[in-house]
Amino acid sequence: MTQQKKNSILSLFASVQLALSLLFLLAATSIIGTLIPQNNPPDFYIERYGFKTAQLLRILDIPDMYNSWWFLGLLSLFALNLTVCSLERIPQVIRTLRRDGLTVPPAQLAKFPLHRELRLAHAMEAATTRVEALFTTLGWRARTANLEQGRLLFAERGGWTRFGVYVVHCSILIILAGALVGSSTVARIIGNPKFAFKGSIMLPEGESTNHLIAFKSGEHIDLDFHLRCDAFAIEYYPNGMPKTYRSKVTVIDKGQPVHSADIEVNQPLTYKGVTFYQSSYQPYQNYQVSLKKQGSTAATSAIVATAKQTDWPEAGVSYGIINRESQGEATRRLKIWFTDNQGEPSVFWVNNNQEAIIERPSGTYLLTLRQLYATGLQATKDPGVWLVYLGCLLMLVGLYIAFFLSHRKLYAFIQPDADGCRILFAGEANKNKVGFEDKFSELINTLEK
Amino acid sequence: MDSSQLFGVTMIAYIVAAAFYIGLFLFKNERVGVFGMALAMAGVGIQTAATGLRWYESYQMGAGHAPLTNMYESLVFFAWCTTIIYLVLEFRFKTRVMGAFVMPCAAVAMAYASFSDRIDDQISPLIPALQSNWLIAHVVTCFIGYGAFAVAGGLGVMYLLKQSASNANDRQPLLNALPELKVIDDQTHKTIVFGFMWLSAGIITGAVWANEAWGTYWSWDPKETWSIITWFLYALTLHARFTRGWRGRRIAWLAILGFLAVFFTYFGVNFFLSGLHSYGSV
Ligand code: HEM
């Protein structure tokens, strides 16, 4: 490849025009995925758009466009553009910062857009001291050069803020890198599906598991520990809206219960890099029964289904569920048949998870039935998320620096004349010029007083 | 007095303020402008009280949460942000006519929130997914951004109006009252810069929240996607300005286009597309 060709490719990737085109393309193509539903089974697209169109969509990866080769390609080009462009400009910034203000020829100062001249009835030394003091009140440290025609004072602040832009650009690359690290594609490429994954678990109350089902691929992913669901509960507001979904879980590592916690929506549990989120639930048509005889220590518990008789031989009692009232799949009330084989059996309704007191010839019994649930947990391991968060933080800091802080320079050239001296002030700021102008005038006004 | 009455008073204040600002623009009567400003300020004050009261009422009802959780509350908050950002701009740059282009937007948002039957203004308890402090951070940052972009869009319209008049070269007295083109251009840019900062923060807080609630900081759901589209558009606008030297007309158009994207992110997605942000739907 010739030098020239190389340079023209390089300059293409360094160009802001390409950046503008890419930003536009990313914005425009992103719209597609908001109009065409994503990640549905193939039949969905055929039914909705017809066979021909569906095929075209599939060829272009539209059903999963944000992971398609062309969209990721656009993002890669964008990242490359950003990298090349920034790398090319940083040396220029360093050169700008290295340039010593004291080498500016005093004659040029009068040509600065921001300059002002004033006279002081002081001798050179006294005037220099005053101007220096002025710089110091601002918190600026002036350096001095003795030139032929007079003395030049120079101070600057915030040179480093010129890097703010590059902090922002770098933050974008960090976020993209974090997204890459956390993607299942990378986990597959390095041949370790346990490196990063997203999956789900449907875990019935009382049971435990040490694997989950990965999204999309449906593969089993093994965990290094077991998770047990001790209980699942839904709480409601008085108006019937759900208030809390809560799974009480215990982590069992090497056979030992090591950690118990409540997982709620917005309150996940992280163990060994895997985070578990409350995401759904499944009511079962089975019930946890606890039955006690009042005034004795006799008690029993069982898991029962409907329309089946259960016996408690020690107490000579039998019971069963003969009917129930549900809302959706959630049981509200249960109709119980209960006997101690003395007299007529008791038949009554009781609410789910509420104690019933049953008076029988053989004594008083306390019975509670609770519908069993399975909790649906989402489990994620994303080692890239800290990079993403770091990038986000850097972006906000960088944006603040780039937008609201500036590199300011202040010059004062002092020349002796007949009965005192003339001082030429000049200043420049790379941003917020208006604010700097005000400060500049204010400064010089204090000297004039 | 309950909060909904106070919000009603706020709405009237904004509508009349908008009318006065338009009056200032049409008749160049400074007095009318001062009334407009006073009303806008009173509106902000009353709305602040109303918001505090609604917050308190939600606790009284046993559904305590900051009033930033549904379409009604967010619309109202949008009007509040827009008005405050506009007033700050008015004080800093001392150009009152701008109000004629911005306050109608706040007034319409407020009126729509109150009168549309698609929007429920009841205080309701929070479903589990919304019970997070990130919700507040997310809504506040986003809507400060949206408010700024609304102001920038208004300034864009003002720029184009003024420019079309000066092109036509008829010395229309009406438009002479508007600030210099250069001044409008500069303010548009500054407002966009301010908005961009907050939009970025809004997208980031949203991502952190999503990660806390679902374990995925970015899932390309339509609302997220539209917010990033909007972000790309403003990034484009900023780069076109400071690296390619775009000024004036083009920036004004981009400010308007950007606001349309904001508008679609906020409304269009809820009404036309489906997704995770269904709490915004009504
Ligand atoms: C959406 C992603 C991007 C964001 C958020 C972003 C952000 C910024 C910010 C905040 C500034 C400083 C603005 C100022 O000085 O007022 C800036 C400047 C700049 N950006 Fe970007 N940028 C992005 C993408 C890009 C890309 C892809 C390129 C590739 C060429 C690029 C090239 C530049 C250049 C050349 C400057 C001017 C630097 C200077 O002051 O000399 N930006 N960017």
Side-chain angles (χ1 to χ4, degrees):
Chain A
M1 205 187 279
T2 66
Q3 191 63 34
Q4 209 167 16
K5 250 198 198 146
K6 227 182 196 162
N7 279 344
S8 72
I9 289 182
L10 203 66
S11 63
L12 172 68
F13 278 112
S15 78
V16 181
Q17 255 149 321
L18 178 64
L20 297 184
S21 315
L22 286 173
L23 282 169
F24 179 77
L25 276 176
L26 282 169
T29 55
S30 292
I31 297 175
I32 299 171
T34 68
L35 300 178
I36 298 178
Q38 295 289 294
N39 292 311
N40 283 300
D43 288 347
F44 171 88
Y45 298 96
I46 294 173
E47 206 167 295
R48 190 155 170 163
Y49 301 103
F51 188 74
K52 279 256 168 62
T53 318
Q55 206 152 32
L56 184 69
L57 292 180
R58 214 198 54 212
I59 291 170
L60 294 175
D61 268 345
I62 301 287
D64 188 15
M65 71 153 273
Y66 302 108
N67 292 310
S68 69
W69 57 271
W70 58 267
F71 192 76
L72 295 179
L74 270 181
L75 276 178
S76 314
L77 275 183
F78 180 71
L80 186 65
N81 186 196
L82 196 57
T83 313
V84 176
C85 177
S86 299
L87 284 182
E88 202 195 48
R89 279 163 191 258
I90 288 175
Q92 286 173 26
V93 175
I94 294 176
R95 262 194 306 265
T96 311
L97 290 178
R98 285 238 175 99
R99 203 172 296 142
D100 186 354
L102 290 176
T103 59
V104 173
Q108 271 194 7
L109 294 182
K111 293 188 195 125
F112 275 44
L114 187 59
H115 71 266
R116 217 164 107 190
E117 196 169 37
L118 63 98
R119 296 201 30 130
L120 278 186
H122 292 312
M124 272 298 276
E125 291 311 320
T128 310
T129 318
R130 278 201 66 184
V131 174
E132 264 172 354
L134 196 66
F135 276 62
T136 320
T137 55
L138 281 180
W140 296 35
R141 273 203 31 230
R143 290 182 300 119
T144 316
N146 288 312
L147 307 176
E148 261 173 53
Q149 316 94 312
R151 186 173 286 162
L152 181 63
L153 275 73
F154 170 74
E156 64 185 327
R157 285 220 107 171
W160 60 275
T161 63
R162 286 184 185 268
F163 290 107
V165 179
Y166 304 103
V167 173
V168 178
H169 287 171
C170 183
S171 74
I172 293 170
L173 296 176
I174 293 176
I175 292 172
L176 290 176
L180 199 63
V181 169
S183 73
S184 56
T185 318
V186 166
R188 207 167 313 129
I189 289 170
I190 63 173
N192 179 5
K194 280 160 87 174
F195 180 72
F197 54 78
K198 276 189 188 10
S200 62
I201 301 174
M202 197 41 96
L203 193 57
E205 284 176 298
E207 291 183 22
S208 67
T209 184
N210 67 341
H211 69 261
L212 53 101
I213 312 292
F215 286 152
K216 283 196 183 169
S217 69
E219 288 167 38
H220 273 224
I221 294 177
D222 290 325
L223 299 171
D224 304 333
F225 52 89
H226 279 77
L227 187 75
R228 185 178 71 211
C229 175
D230 299 321
F232 175 81
I234 309 178
E235 286 169 18
Y236 295 91
Y237 290 108
N239 71 357
M241 277 170 62
K243 181 179 184 184
T244 315
Y245 301 110
R246 181 185 301 121
S247 302
K248 289 186 175 298
V249 298
T250 300
V251 175
I252 298 163
D253 202 350
K254 301 193 184 74
Q256 293 298 315
V258 289
H259 185 61
S260 289
D262 287 357
I263 299 177
E264 293 176 23
V265 184
N266 277 305
Q267 188 188 305
L269 163 71
T270 303
Y271 186 76
K272 287 197 169 166
V274 185
T275 308
F276 297 91
Y277 302 85
Q278 184 67 55
S279 75
S280 64
Y281 63 92
Q282 174 78 53
Y284 281 138
Q285 305 313 321
N286 291 330
Y287 302 84
Q288 168 86 47
V289 173
S290 55
L291 179 57
K292 276 189 299 216
K293 185 171 185 185
Q294 210 165 44
S296 85
T297 53
T300 183
S301 66
I303 291 175
V304 302
T306 50
K308 267 209 330 254
Q309 180 177 331
T310 310
D311 302 321
W312 182 19
E314 292 80 0
V317 161
S318 300
Y319 58 90
I321 303 168
I322 53 174
N323 200 355
R324 63 186 163 181
E325 236 176 57
S326 301
Q327 195 174 51
E329 290 189 88
T331 302
R332 290 270 173 262
R333 306 201 294 162
L334 296 144
K335 195 171 190 182
I336 307 297
W337 169 89
F338 188 98
T339 182
D340 54 0
N341 301 313
Q342 303 178 23
E344 281 291 296
S346 303
V347 173
F348 56 92
W349 283 96
V350 61
N351 287 341
N352 180 43
N353 204 13
Q354 193 180 329
E355 196 171 62
I357 300 167
I358 313 160
E359 308 277 1
R360 296 293 309 173
S362 62
T364 303
Y365 296 87
L366 306 173
L367 173 72
T368 310
L369 282 94
R370 192 170 67 84
Q371 187 177 20
L372 285 174
Y373 282 85
T375 182
L377 299 176
Q378 179 171 326
T380 300
K381 183 172 176 190
D382 185 346
V385 77
W386 294 109
L387 273 178
V388 173
Y389 281 7
L390 174 72
C392 290
L393 195 67
L394 275 181
M395 175 179 291
L396 292 180
V397 172
L399 283 174
Y400 182 78
I401 297 170
F403 287 148
F404 301 113
L405 302 181
S406 57
H407 182 195
R408 290 142 295 156
K409 299 178 183 176
L410 194 57
Y411 305 81
F413 183 55
I414 312 175
Q415 273 179 298
D417 75 357
D419 43 272
C421 52
R422 271 185 308 146
I423 310 178
L424 175 63
F425 282 98
E428 60 181 343
N430 67 335
K431 262 169 291 173
N432 188 16
K433 296 191 194 262
V434 181
F436 184 66
E437 247 173 68
D438 292 346
K439 193 137 197 192
F440 184 81
S441 311
E442 197 185 307
L443 190 74
I444 295 168
N445 291 343
T446 57
L447 196 65
E448 266 179 338
K449 270 191 218 133
Chain B
M1 194 135 205
D2 66 14
S3 66
S4 59
Q5 283 167 310
L6 283 182
F7 280 119
V9 175
T10 310
M11 176 189 72
I12 294 168
Y14 288 165
I15 291 175
V16 181
F20 273 105
Y21 275 113
I22 292 171
L24 165 71
F25 173 56
L26 294 180
F27 309 117
K28 286 196 272 159
N29 181 336
E30 270 308 315
R31 264 278 239 351
V32 172
V34 174
F35 276 124
M37 180 198 67
L39 274 165
M41 279 169 58
V44 168
I46 296 168
Q47 189 176 353
T48 310
T51 307
L53 190 57
R54 189 177 168 100
W55 201 332
Y56 174 76
E57 284 166 1
S58 75
Y59 274 95
Q60 296 272 297
M61 290 174 49
H65 57 80
L68 296 168
T69 56
N70 59 21
M71 193 65 164
Y72 173 78
E73 290 170 341
S74 71
L75 263 171
V76 164
F77 184 63
F78 167 75
W80 191 71
C81 290
T82 308
T83 309
I84 290 181
I85 292 170
Y86 164 68
L87 283 172
V88 169
L89 218 65
E90 179 182 314
F91 278 107
R92 273 189 58 178
F93 298 100
K94 301 184 181 54
T95 40
R96 196 159 283 151
V97 248
M98 279 175 355
F101 296 84
V102 178
M103 280 312 290
C105 188
V108 166
M110 203 73 196
Y112 182 72
S114 311
F115 293 129
S116 167
D117 47 6
R118 300 182 75 165
I119 288 172
D120 178 10
D121 67 353
Q122 296 302 309
I123 299 174
S124 57
L126 291 183
I127 58 166
L130 297 186
Q131 295 163 11
S132 167
N133 287 330
W134 288 106
L135 167 67
I136 298 173
H138 177 54
V139 174
V140 168
T141 46
C142 281
F143 279 85
I144 295 177
Y146 291 179
F149 291 139
V151 172
L155 291 174
V157 172
M158 188 159 110
Y159 185 97
L160 294 176
L161 257 183
K162 170 106 179 170
Q163 203 201 30
S164 68
S166 53
N167 279 355
N169 232 351
D170 52 353
R171 307 238 117 250
Q172 262 206 24
L174 200 62
L175 299 172
N176 285 345
L178 296 180
E180 290 291 318
L181 283 177
K182 238 185 79 186
V183 175
I184 308 177
D185 179 58
D186 186 56
Q187 288 178 18
T188 312
H189 173 67
K190 290 203 165 110
T191 315
I192 290 179
V193 159
F194 178 80
F196 189 72
M197 177 97 198
W198 286 99
L199 178 64
S200 308
I203 294 175
I204 289 172
T205 48
V208 175
W209 178 24
N211 196 42
E212 289 290 300
W214 296 293
T216 318
Y217 50 82
W218 195 261
S219 48
W220 292 105
D221 104 298
K223 193 112 179 169
E224 286 173 357
T225 308
W226 270 96
S227 72
I228 204 81
I229 290 168
T230 307
W231 190 75
F232 281 143
L233 271 180
Y234 282 110
L236 188 147
T237 307
L238 293 176
H239 283 81
R241 187 181 167 99
F242 52 63
T243 59
R244 311 282 317 153
W246 287 23
R247 290 285 183 284
R249 235 185 129 62
R250 288 171 166 184
I251 297 292
W253 276 114
L254 282 169
I256 295 168
L257 185 69
F259 182 63
L260 291 180
V262 167
F263 189 80
F264 194 80
T265 307
Y266 181 22
F267 271 108
V269 174
N270 293 342
F271 289 142
F272 302 119
L273 310 171
S274 60
L276 290 174
H277 282 71
S278 47
Y279 78 87
S281 69
V282 282

